[in-house]
Amino acid sequence: MFKFAKAASTAALAGGLVAAMSATAFAADIEGTWRTKSGEKAKIAKCGSSYCVTLTTGQYAGKRIGKMSGSGSNYKGSITDPVKDKKYNGKAKVSGNSLSMSGCVLGGLICQSQKWTRL
């Protein structure tokens, strides 16, 4: 009886660790479809060793507006304002189903940020 209880508790612990690691990986995964602050949808997908950010709806649908590198919950790269067609140094931070996307000029002295939501 003791061996069964020990095996069952070990299996439960292992299952719990796998579930916790999966939840952590999902929470920090930048890939997916996101709703931007202005309501458009953007798809972030692997492209080479980076992640490409492409608008999929709205006036600029099909336009790639960013390329990010990183892992975990922090990413860096470039982001383009589709209206002005200007490129900025970009940062992205994933927190659950939220993505904080920012673009900066002057070495990060002036930045604008917006929150995106995972769909």
Side-chain angles (χ1 to χ4, degrees), residues 13 17 30 38 44 47 51-52 54 87 94 119:
L13 176 62
L17 287 174
I30 196 168
S38 57
I44 301 179
C47 62
Y51 297 91
C52 290
T54 305
K87 189 181 281 191
V94 180
L119 296 176

Side-chain angles (χ1 to χ4, degrees), residues 59-115:
Q59 180 179 357
Y60 300 100
K63 183 171 182 135
R64 188 170 91 186
I65 61 165
K67 192 168 186 178
M68 299 280 176
S69 296
S71 62
S73 61
N74 295 303
Y75 298 84
K76 289 184 189 180
S78 62
I79 194 80
T80 301
D81 177 344
V83 177
K84 297 177 183 177
D85 204 31
K86 285 192 167 188
K87 189 181 281 191
Y88 301 94
N89 292 325
K91 290 183 183 178
K93 182 171 179 129
V94 180
S95 179
N97 288 327
S98 247
L99 175 66
S100 178
M101 184 72 78
S102 65
C104 302
V105 294
L106 298 175
L109 293 175
I110 300 172
C111 299
Q112 286 192 355
S113 298
Q114 53 180 257
K115 294 268 186 210

